[in-house]
Amino acid sequence: MADPRADANPSRARRAAPIAASAALVLSAVMSTGVVTATTPPPGRETVAALDPALTAGRGAAVNFVEQEAENAVTNGTILGFDTTAYTLAAEASGRQAVRLTAPGQFVEFTLTRPANAITLRYSIPDAATGGGIDAPLALSVKGKKASTLLLTSRYAWLYNQYPFSNDPNAGLLHPDWWVTECGCVPQFTSPTPTFGTPFRPMHFYDEQRVLLGKTYDAGDKVRLSVPVGTTAAWTIIDLVDFEKVAPAIKSAPRSLSVLDFGADPKGAVDSAGAFDAAIAAAKAKGKSVFIPAGTYQVNRHIVVDDVTIAGAGNWWTIIKGHEVALATPAPDGSVHTGVGFYGKYAEDGGSSNVHLSGFAIEGDVRERIDTDQVNGVGGALSDSTIDGLYIHHTKVGLWFDGPMDNLKVSNTIVAEVVADGVNFRRGVTNSKVVNSFFRNTGDDAMAMWSHHVSTVAVDENVNNVFDHNTVQTPTLANGIAIYGGRNNTVSNNIVADPIREGSGLHAGQRFNATPFAGFLKFTNNTTVRAGTFELNWNIGLGAIWLFALEGSLTADIQVTGDHYLQNTYNAIMLVADWPVKDLYEISNVHFKDVRIDGTGTSVLSARVAGSATFENVDARSVGAVGINNCGTFHFTPAGSEFSVTDLGGNDGGGTTGPWLAPWELPNTITCDDRPPVVPPPAPSPW
């Protein structure tokens, strides 16, 4: 999570990063020993977040594409072995596996399961030795005939070092005075100062490319991606391909003005920002909407929108693409760059309302993370507005909203390959929702509600917001879905897969100067898979759902109902207070009901805080350690733990140590094993 309008979240310094070996050694291990020989599985296997779709039925976004994982396809390459360790290519891959191609002629071949005329390829190629990325070709053939040669790039991938990261693989520590977990030290107070290998903490390896195939191919046709002779890449990783039948471009919109009539260039040779502004002004004056026909339009700054409807021909056809532009002097909002984006007026300038954006792509040019920069796909304050059917790529944040604002709906939108959040409701966002949207490879929380407390007035609080039926894949830092303070908010029917480091699938945190949680917070019918990452500062595993008391207690009514936590890397559920405040804050009034837990590396519940929780019909299987790891506040008093568990019945199943909710654990027996052995959980299966 980042605040692009305030000061870069100094508390992010608490998110140190993890790993016991140098990043260079880790990558070397992935490329040499962490592979298994490829096999030939049955072709044409559709997945959702690398799962059998039956395991996620009714949850996540209903998207227009079907996904196939490369490790399930036919290949003569090598499959990266399953790995959840940060800074590895496998860990950042969907399903924690991908296929590596190294020699000309090596390929991955998919079999269409449905008609398709377009693909989205998720891939990784190496960085340049000095950073900045390289370009490399990849051959695409369909039905045995060459269709095209794709030009892959790593210019928007590969970040290094400490937050907010660097594009330089050879740079020294960005913050020599920060705690560094690799040595358990603060380097400036260490004699001699430790020397770290480079590249240090590489991450954000993947990018994606969308390709129209030129015609519709049928189920059963084969699509092959292969390394051509003369490639400039030492290796190419294929993670997955999304196959889609894209509808034809929309030709016009009723009662609209075309940007072409105001001089916009659909070939992208000249900047069309002025033409967009003129079209918007004329449409508002005439009570009409704005239409952007198919084409690629160059726009290198914000398009400010208020009381206007703007529609494209479809997000595969209408592409708004811009350069990141350095400003001669910083802007009033703190930006040192500008770039393509559609922005409502800021709340302090009155905000915008009645804005409706649909049917186009926003292609940014952001290759670094500068938290003061406003280089997001959509921003500002938008009340009584809708955003539908956008594709947002290579911006800093996909959609960042600074309230107060009310009644916004984001739907059917894709955010991919951004260096910070996917979407963030910040400060006083009310009665708003994000539904049926898809987020992949975000550089921070994929979806966040942040009730950022910056004044003494009630508009700081986020109230009555909903994140429903969304899919999150592979956030490279922090959480899949995170809620920071607020009142009466709901997270429901979402899928969150493969968070990489320092975060969880689902998170509620009293942190980042958020307003206190109040009323209720509901997590309902969500599915996480391969979640619960390693928290490097604490040297412990988190949970698929993680409640965190850092700056205050969590005592609002937190209801977790119907969630499924699958193949949890460490714990399924974690409640924790930061050590310096463990005797000040508690987490209580938390209620788990009708929850399924399929596989944990450690415990079902890890409690490292004072407080309480109730459990009803929470079923677990393949539990790797003791069912409840109850440390309380670590005082180990004769009265037991400071955290109590209430069994409301129906809590069945367990694992290697017996029933997960054993009678001897209640209500507050100390069962504290700080770092139990991790038992890799099995892959999920039907319940």
Side-chain angles (χ1 to χ4, degrees), residues 283-351:
K284 291 173 66 174
K286 297 179 180 181
K288 295 186 176 183
S289 64
V290 174
F291 181 64
I292 312 174
T296 297
Y297 301 83
Q298 182 185 159
V299 173
N300 299 315
R301 61 167 171 82
H302 299 170
I303 301 299
V304 178
V305 290
D306 184 25
D307 190 26
V308 66
T309 296
I310 303 175
N315 65 43
W316 280 85
W317 304 105
T318 297
I319 301 168
I320 319 299
K321 187 172 184 177
H323 303 292
E324 186 177 72
V325 179
L327 300 174
T329 57
D333 61 22
S335 296
V336 295
H337 296 89
T338 190
V340 61
F342 287 76
Y343 273 65
K345 294 183 291 185
Y346 294 139
E348 54 264 42
D349 297 324

Side-chain angles (χ1 to χ4, degrees), residues 213-235:
L213 299 177
K215 60 172 289 187
T216 298
Y217 292 91
D218 298 323
D221 290 344
K222 299 187 184 300
V223 177
R224 177 175 289 200
L225 299 161
S226 59
V227 176
V229 174
T231 180
T232 52
W235 46 263

Side-chain angles (χ1 to χ4, degrees), residues 36-44 69-80 97-103 105-111 138 222-227 236-239:
V36 295
T37 302
T39 59
T40 305
E69 296 279 339
E71 64 268 23
N72 298 330
V74 176
T75 182
N76 60 355
T78 51
I79 299 175
L80 299 183
Q97 288 189 284
V99 173
R100 174 167 60 99
L101 309 176
T102 54
Q106 287 194 324
F107 65 87
V108 179
E109 185 174 86
F110 301 87
T111 300
L138 185 69
K222 299 187 184 300
V223 177
R224 177 175 289 200
L225 299 161
S226 59
V227 176
T236 301
I237 304 292
I238 307 298
D239 181 25

